[in-house]
Amino acid sequence: FYVMREALLPRLNHDLEALPTQSSEVFKVGGALCPTPAAWTNASEDRAYILELGTNLQAKLLGMLDMQSLFLLAATCNEMNRVCNLESVWNLLCLRAWGPRMHSSLQLQANSLGWKRIVRELHTLEAVAWHPLKVGGSVYPARINFNTCSVGRKLILFGGEAAHAVALNDTFVLDLDVPNPSWEQWKLTPPEGCLYPPGRWGHTLRPLMDGKLVLFGGCGAAG
């Protein structure tokens, strides 16, 4: 792993072998000659090895990697593990991965937990736990094979299969932003020239940009 003046050249899954010489100043990494720690201060003007660079520049370079590559790189040696765990690396990585808006909304939590902990909570769920939530209202009639999705802090439920294979096309919403969330049935009116979706079960309901939903597939009374 070394850095040219213009670019970062990571080499994952490479072979590491000692050179058959009496010198202990270089070793071979995937075809490239890299100095041992004792020789890091002797870099030429044409290239700089990443472990010679300052902490700020290291963080900017490694922050351009994706999360999987960063974890793999951290496992190569103790020094790279230290660099890959810098808070500034994870700060930049999260900014690139999630965008400025989400990054800004998580800044307060990151100030106390750190950005790497935020990644663990959002991606690996290591630091989260289930807890019961009591809500009011009801979804009637009882059903199976319905589908739900979330839009912001609202949970949307559409359709499903009631008793005797009745296909439903009603919509229920649970707003988690209110103090006492409760299921409410929404009466929706389709735009002019459009038909209301017929009853179905086993369908897919997914959010799009700007709060829009897409409904696809499923089975109804006619199959």
Side-chain angles (χ1 to χ4, degrees), residues 2-178:
Y2 64 90
V3 182
M4 303 299 290
R5 283 182 173 177
E6 293 82 11
L8 175 67
L9 302 177
R11 296 162 179 257
L12 298 178
N13 300 323
H14 53 269
D15 294 326
L16 179 63
E17 58 181 290
L19 291 178
T21 67
Q22 295 181 351
S23 171
S24 60
E25 292 187 354
V26 293
F27 56 84
K28 189 176 183 181
V29 180
L33 300 183
C34 298
T36 60
W40 285 346
T41 58
N42 298 322
S44 69
E45 295 182 357
D46 294 330
R47 66 180 64 179
Y49 298 95
I50 191 169
L51 294 181
E52 287 186 294
L53 303 177
T55 299
N56 290 339
L57 185 53
Q58 289 176 339
K60 290 180 179 179
L61 291 171
L62 299 184
M64 302 301 292
L65 298 176
D66 59 78
M67 294 180 187
Q68 182 180 7
S69 297
L70 192 60
F71 281 122
L72 291 172
L73 186 59
T76 57
C77 68
N78 289 337
E79 182 62 17
M80 288 310 305
N81 182 271
R82 182 193 69 80
V83 175
C84 289
N85 281 286
L86 291 173
E87 178 68 6
S88 51
V89 172
W90 288 95
N91 183 14
L92 179 58
L93 187 147
C94 292
L95 177 61
R96 289 181 52 252
W98 300 333
R101 184 175 179 180
M102 184 172 181
H103 181 273
S104 178
S105 67
L106 293 171
Q107 186 65 62
L108 184 61
Q109 292 91 330
N111 290 341
S112 58
L113 299 176
W115 283 107
K116 187 175 181 181
R117 174 70 178 274
I118 296 294
V119 170
R120 287 176 51 201
E121 292 199 13
L122 294 181
H123 282 266
T124 66
L125 305 182
E126 293 181 19
V128 298
W130 288 100
H131 68 277
L133 176 64
K134 293 184 178 180
V135 300
S138 64
V139 176
Y140 183 83
R143 66 197 65 200
I144 59 174
N145 296 328
F146 55 87
N147 208 312
T148 62
C149 71
S150 61
V151 178
R153 294 275 294 169
K154 291 183 174 63
L155 187 63
I156 315 295
L157 183 152
F158 178 83
E161 179 185 0
H164 309 295
V166 174
L168 303 171
N169 67 341
D170 46 4
T171 302
F172 291 83
V173 177
L174 180 66
D175 189 351
L176 298 177
D177 273 332
V178 299

